[in-house]
Amino acid sequence: MKPSQLFRSLRSRNYRLYFTGQSISLIGTWMQRMAVSWLVYRLTHSSLMLGIVGFAGLIPSMLFSPYAGTLSDRHSRYKILLISQIASMIQSGVLAGLVLFKFYNITAIILLAIAQGIINAFDTTSRQSLMIDLIDNKEDLPNAIALNSSMVNLARLLGPAIAGVILSVFGEGICFLIDFLTFIAVIISLLMMRLQLLAPPKTDANIWEGLREGYVYLKQSPNIGAAIMMLGASGLFLMSFSTLTPVFAKEVFGGDAETYSWFASVTGLGALISAIYMAGLKPGKDLLKFIGIAAVVFGISVVLFSRVTSLPLALFFIMLSGAGMMGQIAATNTYVQTNVPGYMRGRMISYYAMAFQGTLPIGSLLTGLVAHHLGAPLTVCLQGTAGIICAGLFIWGIRRRRQAQAQKPTLEYSDIA
């Protein structure tokens, strides 16, 4: 595929601005995520505490995403996104201040994680549902989503690599300060956009009625529901295994912060490769089949990662897990956005966000709790096995529905005859 086709959505000025600003900001975001986990484990040496902090940072997505999705369908998604970015910048600045002034307080870290989780609930739904308004040619939407995933994972590759060096030399506080400064880029890019947005449809129904409408629509769309549920299962059993990567880095492989950064970076590399592949897909690809295959790859690679004792092999399998994870996430996002009407997009994205981020806190908490009793390797092996079972059930369910749909015309013809 020609580069012009691979990057075709960047021809849109607004999307180009968004892509540039987010590329810079997300490097800081991944630095912060890595630094928080390392800080918590350095201070507590507790797998359970890693799970608790992960739970605190992600549970707001499950609680607030449906409300945020309904809000984005009724108000300006652009304004919600701008406000959420400013709020994230403030949260990052407070975290940087606490650590730079040596105020090492786990309770404060947990409260700031909760605050960021609430902000992310509104940020994710507004950002994802705004995507289609940032591109000039609506046929470029799948490419824009895939490039967005590529951007996220390039940041996931670079952020931890930079953080690993900074953590070893300067400590966590500088990582948080850099994250604070990178928000300047995304805020400026948003302010430079020239958007012509349609006014949200006016309605007299209250916001809870909007939530109910979204739930009814989801029930009437079994394939969308199945894709979102599969993503939720991966969030619960598979994605949460990353909660224990500091334990693997330090206890299993006898490493340090740099070793931990390798895990995060190679995960990002695998995810980046997968996202670039998604960006080059031609229209008409069977995304549901792709979701199932990616979920199987994800589960198998997590099991293999948990069983190896060689660091190079572990890095290879965790890279493969990143590819499977991103393939599933990007394909689910594309399938949802290209198969729902505009007036329902925010609410469906909110369910997607709940599946993607909302199940992670429960998974992180359970992961930390089980690892506290069974150890990290066995816990991760059980997680991968559960993920493989869920992927198998998803593939079986899609095939069964398609077979029923294929037989339906024949049955109706027989009845008439």
Side-chain angles (χ1 to χ4, degrees), residues 211-399:
L211 289 173
R212 190 192 68 81
E213 289 173 359
Y215 178 71
V216 170
Y217 180 88
L218 193 61
K219 284 181 63 177
Q220 295 171 348
S221 308
N223 285 339
I224 292 176
I228 289 175
M229 286 181 65
M230 182 63 239
L231 187 61
S234 288
L236 184 65
F237 297 116
L238 292 174
M239 297 178 200
S240 56
F241 93 94
S242 62
T243 302
L244 297 177
T245 50
V247 183
F248 275 87
K250 194 165 187 177
E251 305 295 337
V252 178
F253 295 104
D256 53 16
E258 188 176 356
T259 310
Y260 174 44
S261 73
W262 292 347
F263 285 145
S265 292
V266 297
T267 303
L269 176 61
L272 177 62
I273 293 169
S274 182
I276 291 173
Y277 173 79
M278 287 290 298
L281 286 182
K282 295 179 179 179
K285 180 74 175 180
D286 187 347
L287 291 175
L288 291 175
K289 181 179 178 181
F290 190 90
I291 290 168
I293 294 172
V296 170
V297 170
F298 193 7
I300 291 174
S301 59
V302 167
V303 170
L304 294 174
F305 167 74
S306 72
R307 305 317 299 164
V308 298
T309 55
S310 164
L311 181 57
L313 273 178
L315 292 171
F316 172 76
F317 289 128
I318 204 170
M319 180 181 72
L320 196 61
S321 77
M325 176 187 67
M326 182 45 56
Q328 184 185 353
I329 291 170
T332 303
N333 190 355
T334 303
Y335 185 79
V336 170
Q337 294 224 40
T338 54
N339 285 275
V340 299
Y343 71 90
M344 193 61 68
R345 185 173 292 113
R347 277 164 283 187
M348 290 303 102
I349 288 296
S350 73
Y351 283 107
Y352 161 84
M354 282 180 65
F356 178 28
Q357 296 178 327
T359 56
L360 268 172
I362 299 173
S364 296
L365 189 61
L366 290 174
T367 297
L369 195 60
V370 174
H372 185 69
H373 295 285
L374 300 182
L378 180 56
T379 300
V380 172
C381 183
L382 292 173
Q383 288 179 281
T385 303
I388 294 169
I389 293 171
C390 291
L393 291 173
F394 171 79
I395 294 170
W396 173 78
I398 293 296
R399 286 181 177 175

Side-chain angles (χ1 to χ4, degrees), residues 396-409:
W396 173 78
I398 293 296
R399 286 181 177 175
R400 185 178 179 185
R401 268 194 300 277
R402 287 179 171 174
Q403 289 172 355
Q405 289 172 352
Q407 294 171 1
K408 192 174 181 180

Side-chain angles (χ1 to χ4, degrees), residues 34-42 167 172 246 250 256-257 260:
M34 180 182 171
V36 166
S37 293
W38 189 255
L39 175 64
V40 170
Y41 193 66
R42 180 174 67 82
L167 283 172
E172 299 90 357
K250 194 165 187 177
D256 53 16
Y260 174 44

